[in-house]
């Protein structure tokens, strides 16, 4: 069998389908397009073209990685988020479309001068906002030095590094200034929910960024109690939440006198983001 584009896709489908199910064809297309350095749309027009031996070997290695449930974004090293490409490794969470709900809501606000992102990861939230708000600057913190390394590469690639201060910090530990906007997509999966995660997530994404254990609310308790002291008057707080956590997180914020709470839903109709204004002093 010749190593044409179509034959490689057919072979990858036979390998992946018993493991990943019927949706694996798209994964194979994305991986092969990456190996060939072309768009997935171009694959259809080049289905009869022969692929070089080196590219075949690279493709087969990557298909074996996908068969081991490694996420496609980690295999090709990137994920598109809000129209921009972010470097992705096993040290950071894969940016997800649900998080764009927070971006959309934030961009409805007047442009802030200073932004704080708690739990930076890839930097997809902070760097997207900095790219959209050209006069803003921000601080991004993470407890993982490996995650900060990935974020630093993304900041450079997106040309926002000169406006992004990246710090190793356990939440507010190394923060002593105030901001106009605080954003966070913290670990929120409960201990019991971890058992139900797909292997793509459970086996390959950093657990410290997925769950704090217990009821999943530890980060929200810290943020609800401490964020107001790091917000300017009239400042805004935006938090991504799990789909069953809107009531619990709202109660935590109300307990600390946050005002103007709004709950936003993602494209799937699930509650995904809570917005609040700084408590009145």
């Amino acid at each position: 069998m010749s190593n044409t584009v179509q034959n490689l896709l057919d072979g990858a489908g036979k390998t992946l389908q018993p493991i990943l199910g019927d949706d694996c064809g798209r994964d194979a297309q994305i991986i092969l397009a990456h190996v060939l350095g072309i768009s997935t749309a171009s694959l259809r027009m080049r289905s009869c073209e022969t692929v070089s031996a080196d590219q075949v070997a690279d493709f087969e290695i990557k298909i074996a990685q996908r068969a081991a449930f490694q996420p496609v974004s980690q295999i090709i090293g990137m994920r598109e988020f809000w129209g921009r490409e972010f470097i992705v490794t096993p040290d950071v969470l894969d940016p997800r479309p649900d998080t764009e709900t927070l971006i959309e809501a934030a961009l409805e606000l007047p442009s802030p001068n200073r932004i704080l992102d708690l739990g930076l990861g890839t930097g997809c939230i902070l760097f997207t906002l900095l790219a959209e708000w050209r006069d803003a600057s921000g601080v991004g913190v993470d407890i993982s030095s490996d995650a900060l390394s990935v974020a630093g590469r993304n900041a450079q690639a997106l040309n926002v590094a000169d406006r992004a201060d990246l710090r190793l910090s356990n939440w507010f530990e190394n923060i002593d200034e105030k901001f106009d906007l605080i954003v966070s997509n913290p670990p929120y999966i409960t201990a019991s929910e971890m058992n139900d995660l797909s292997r793509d997530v459970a086996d390959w994404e950093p657990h410290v960024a997925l769950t704090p254990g217990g009821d999943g609310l530890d980060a929200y308790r810290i943020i609800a109690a401490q964020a107001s002291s790091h917000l300017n008057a009239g400042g805004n707080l935006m938090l991504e939440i799990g789909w069953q956590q809107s009531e619990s997180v709202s109660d935590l914020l109300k307990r600390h006198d946050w005002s103007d709470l709004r709950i936003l839903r993602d494209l799937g109709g699930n509650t995904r983001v809570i917005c609040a204004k700084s408590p009145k002093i």
Side-chain angles (χ1 to χ4, degrees):
M1 181 183 293
S2 62
N3 290 322
T4 65
V5 165
Q6 190 58 56
N7 286 341
L8 288 175
L9 291 175
D10 291 344
K14 291 177 182 178
T15 297
L16 296 178
Q17 198 277 335
I19 301 168
L20 302 177
D22 293 335
D23 294 333
C24 64
R26 178 64 176 168
D27 292 350
Q29 292 175 16
I30 293 171
I31 292 169
L32 183 55
H34 173 75
V35 168
L36 299 179
I38 62 176
S39 68
T40 52
S42 299
L43 286 176
R44 288 188 293 272
M45 297 181 287
R46 301 174 65 167
S47 61
C48 295
E49 289 187 13
T50 300
V51 179
S52 73
D54 286 346
Q55 290 172 324
V56 170
D58 188 16
F59 179 65
E60 290 176 344
I61 289 171
K62 288 177 167 55
I63 290 299
Q65 291 172 321
R66 186 67 188 111
F69 295 93
Q70 187 167 11
V72 173
S73 59
Q74 290 184 13
I75 294 170
I76 68 173
M78 63 77 58
R79 167 74 76 175
E80 184 175 309
F81 181 87
W82 203 260
R84 297 178 177 88
E85 292 186 354
F86 285 80
I87 297 165
V88 176
T89 78
D91 296 312
V92 292
L93 287 187
D94 188 355
R96 289 164 168 80
D98 290 341
T99 302
E100 293 187 345
T101 305
L102 190 154
I103 299 295
E104 183 176 12
L107 292 175
E108 293 176 357
L109 300 172
S111 175
N113 291 318
R114 294 278 284 165
I115 307 165
L116 172 63
D117 186 350
L118 298 164
L120 183 66
T122 59
C124 66
I125 297 176
L126 177 62
F127 302 158
T128 297
L129 295 177
L130 293 181
E132 297 290 335
W133 284 323
R134 303 289 179 136
D135 294 327
S137 63
V139 174
V141 304
D142 206 289
I143 198 171
S144 165
S145 58
D146 292 328
L148 286 177
S149 177
V150 175
R153 293 165 61 196
N154 279 321
Q156 291 288 344
L158 296 170
N159 298 313
V160 298
D162 60 332
R163 294 183 286 127
D165 177 2
L166 310 187
R167 302 179 192 175
L168 189 67
S169 182
N170 185 10
W171 303 117
F172 297 99
E173 188 176 77
N174 292 324
I175 301 297
D176 57 9
E177 63 262 61
K178 291 191 174 186
F179 302 85
D180 305 300
L181 173 63
I182 296 178
V183 295
S184 184
N185 177 18
Y188 56 68
I189 298 174
T190 67
S192 60
E193 287 173 332
M194 288 293 291
N195 298 323
D196 299 324
L197 293 181
S198 67
R199 289 189 59 184
D200 304 55
V201 178
D203 291 358
W204 289 98
E205 297 203 64
H207 283 203
V208 68
L210 290 168
T211 180
D215 64 3
L217 299 175
D218 286 0
Y220 301 112
R221 292 186 178 96
I222 294 169
I223 294 170
Q226 299 181 27
S228 60
S229 63
H230 296 282
L231 265 181
N232 291 319
N236 291 279
L237 175 68
M238 292 188 167
L239 304 173
E240 181 167 332
I241 58 172
W243 67 281
Q244 293 179 304
Q245 293 176 321
S246 60
E247 185 174 344
S248 299
V249 177
S250 293
D251 288 344
L252 286 171
L253 292 169
K254 291 174 183 175
R255 200 175 304 163
H256 291 278
D257 298 323
W258 290 86
S259 63
D260 299 340
L261 269 62
R262 289 190 300 135
I263 299 171
L264 308 178
R265 295 182 180 272
D266 59 28
L267 291 176
N270 297 311
T271 55
R272 186 59 57 190
V273 173
I274 289 186
C275 308
K277 298 285 288 186
S278 58
K280 294 180 174 60
I281 300 175

